[in-house]
Amino acid sequence: MFVQDTEDQIFIDCLAGAGTFALGHNHPDVVNAVTEYISTGGPWQTLDITSPAKNNFVSEVYKILPDEFSQSAKLQFCGPAGTDAMEAAIKLAKIATGRSGIWSFSGAYHGMTNGTLALMGNINTKSPVPGLMADVQFMPFPYEYRCPFGLTGAESIKANLNYLEHQLSDQHSGTPLPAAIVVEAIQGEGGVIPAPKEWLQGLREITERHGVLLILDEIQCGIGRSGDMFAFEIADINPDVIAMSKAVGGGLPMALIAYHEKLDQWKPGAHTGTFRGNQLAMISGAKTLKILRETNLIESVKEKGQFLLESLHNLKSDCDFIGDIRGRGLMIGIEIVDTQSAGKSKAPNPELATKIQQQCLQQGLILETGGRSGATIRFLPPLNISQEELKTVTNIFISSVAEVMRNL
Ligand SMILES: Cc1ncc(COP(=O)(O)O)c(C=O)c1O
């Protein structure tokens, strides 16, 4: 949980390498597994060649996939970054369907390459780059606090799904049938926005009926982060493709996709890349997945998340600049707003969010900001954070907010 800077200040790390350290920094079992492997003199990377480390990692990955999905799943190792897993998913979907369109959602983040940047919601980040991947459309994400339909609860979900259905079935919608729809079950960079279970179920039903592939980007919200192994599992659905990276490598670079064998229509070599045989990441990844599978850690994530949410909710009555508190498991966000702005969902207040973030940093707590205008403060701690450490996190946060309020 802890990192130390060059001036010896110790911080409690609630960013955890952007969610890569499910078990925190230097977990002793992971360190042992990697050092033991190195001491055997085994190869560090093997391109595509099968090895005991790879066999073991593959078998661990199959064990964490949902049962029904795993029975017909194929794996593709990708260049070791989440964005390359998403590139592979896009290519696979286009080849398998023969269609070129990919639909994404407002607020989406899938990486920074030419294809994934095109699927990004954040216009400021993508607009300096001309000529991104063509044939991309955006649908509204079910972001209740800023619902584009001006609705809440079940009504908001229903309107959102009706709109999606309409765009796919209306011959005059202007949006030809896409190869795939890509979605995060909990948007991370978009501001920690969990998709409601009913919405995910509706999305799966609609895409299936229209023969559109559903790609779940579980790069950030997967591998236990939400309190389920994969965040989409809350909806009990089967996607066509699952993209994994970050925590799946146990803190070392790793990315892969799992997909239904019926889609396996690309040729060998269709998605090559030198560093797809990173043995050390397979060792650390396999050890991490085994620990997650064999302990009750993921189960505890739900409780810890609930504790964090409740502690933060207690703050809300005293702080009218907290617009929304949301999240699932240990992926939680607080949206800071401008109390002077008009409307029910007030304008984001990135200056105040940054002040709180900086105050937390001074008090030894690392937090990230993201979401609309960077006004959502994000908690993404290692999953094995203890109850005591979680209390320290909330105490630092509460006292930082109080300090910032005193100086407003
Ligand atoms: C949901 C999601 N998809 C894809 C990516 C891209 O991963 P990478 O930065 O490893 O390319 C990220 C990174 O934050 C992410 O959160």
Side-chain angles (χ1 to χ4, degrees):
M1 274 305 300
F2 298 94
V3 290
Q4 188 170 1
D5 72 6
T6 50
E7 279 147 29
D8 294 340
Q9 187 178 353
I10 292 176
F11 300 87
I12 189 158
D13 185 3
C14 278
L15 178 54
T20 53
F21 295 113
L23 302 177
H25 297 271
N26 301 340
H27 186 285
D29 293 356
V30 179
V31 171
N32 280 345
V34 173
T35 44
E36 236 171 64
Y37 177 78
I38 291 174
S39 71
T40 66
W44 286 30
Q45 78 104 343
T46 61
L47 300 171
D48 283 329
I49 296 169
T50 308
S51 68
K54 186 171 183 178
N55 279 344
N56 185 39
F57 180 68
V58 164
S59 105
E60 281 299 334
V61 171
Y62 272 98
K63 285 181 196 152
I64 62 158
L65 292 175
D67 278 352
E68 195 187 329
F69 185 91
S70 74
Q71 278 158 34
S72 41
K74 294 257 175 192
L75 298 185
Q76 168 73 36
F77 281 84
C78 305
T83 198
D84 197 59
M86 290 308 295
E87 291 290 341
I90 295 165
K91 278 161 66 179
L92 181 75
K94 288 184 178 185
I95 293 169
T97 61
R99 298 192 289 264
S100 61
I102 306 286
W103 289 11
S104 182
F105 290 94
S106 50
Y109 186 95
H110 299 289
M112 293 291 270
T113 45
N114 199 59
T116 56
L117 204 50
L119 302 174
M120 179 184 284
N122 189 334
I123 295 164
N124 287 339
T125 307
K126 67 200 262 185
S127 58
V129 188
L132 295 174
M133 180 175 75
D135 215 349
V136 171
Q137 304 286 348
F138 284 84
M139 296 292 122
F141 194 74
Y143 180 11
E144 195 183 354
Y145 185 64
R146 300 187 185 280
C147 174
F149 306 103
L151 298 168
T152 54
E155 289 299 304
S156 156
I157 297 170
K158 196 163 151 216
N160 187 302
L161 291 171
N162 280 348
Y163 180 69
L164 182 68
E165 168 68 40
H166 182 82
Q167 288 305 107
L168 285 168
S169 52
D170 177 14
Q171 286 306 302
H172 289 240
S173 69
T175 50
L177 199 68
I181 296 186
V182 296
V183 68
E184 297 152 84
I186 306 172
Q187 285 191 340
E189 306 306 301
V192 197
I193 311 168
K197 161 178 147 186
E198 298 75 17
W199 183 82
L200 287 168
Q201 288 165 342
L203 175 65
R204 176 65 287 193
E205 190 277 315
I206 292 169
T207 46
E208 199 151 38
R209 191 158 33 77
H210 286 277
V212 173
L213 301 179
L214 184 60
I215 300 171
L216 260 299
D217 179 344
E218 290 275 331
I219 288 165
Q220 186 166 145
C221 61
I223 318 298
R225 171 74 39 204
S226 69
D228 289 307
M229 185 58 84
F230 294 100
F232 68 78
E233 287 183 282
I234 197 178
D236 201 18
I237 55 169
N238 254 331
D240 296 294
V241 184
I242 304 171
M244 293 166 266
S245 188
K246 293 196 191 273
V248 79
L252 290 174
M254 168 60 65
L256 72 162
I257 55 170
Y259 56 93
H260 195 286
E261 60 193 2
K262 71 176 183 230
L263 306 176
D264 201 28
Q265 292 167 35
W266 51 7
K267 300 261 183 301
H271 196 74
T272 55
T274 305
F275 279 113
R276 294 177 310 120
N278 182 353
Q279 303 294 290
L280 300 186
M282 290 175 194
I283 295 285
S284 56
K287 181 52 90 182
T288 301
L289 297 183
K290 192 165 190 291
I291 291 173
L292 290 177
R293 211 167 39 72
E294 290 182 348
T295 63
N296 66 352
L297 201 51
I298 298 186
E299 197 45 42
S300 77
V301 165
K302 285 191 184 137
E303 272 165 48
K304 291 176 196 168
Q306 204 48 40
F307 170 81
L308 190 52
L309 270 180
E310 279 164 19
S311 315
L312 297 172
H313 266 291
N314 290 339
L315 257 182
K316 200 166 181 233
S317 51
D318 297 332
C319 307
D320 51 358
F321 52 78
I322 295 183
D324 196 22
I325 301 177
R326 53 183 177 250
R328 263 174 55 203
L330 286 172
M331 190 166 176
I332 288 171
I334 301 192
E335 185 160 346
I336 306 296
V337 295
D338 177 358
T339 51
Q340 306 301 317
S341 65
K344 188 177 144 291
S345 38
K346 312 255 176 233
N349 191 339
E351 292 80 20
L352 188 53
T354 305
K355 271 190 193 150
I356 297 171
Q357 181 198 29
Q358 286 174 353
Q359 185 60 40
C360 287
L361 190 67
Q362 272 185 29
Q363 295 194 28
L365 170 63
I366 300 175
L367 296 172
E368 174 66 304
T369 54
R372 302 309 195 270
S373 310
T376 298
I377 303 173
R378 307 184 48 196
F379 293 78
L380 208 64
L383 308 185
N384 55 351
I385 184 170
S386 70
Q387 197 63 34
E388 263 327 286
E389 289 158 349
L390 212 48
K391 277 194 197 134
T392 308
V393 168
T394 52
N395 288 343
I396 296 181
F397 188 77
I398 290 166
S399 84
S400 299
V401 168
E403 180 62 24
V404 169
M405 279 169 81
R406 267 194 291 281
N407 295 312
L408 275 183

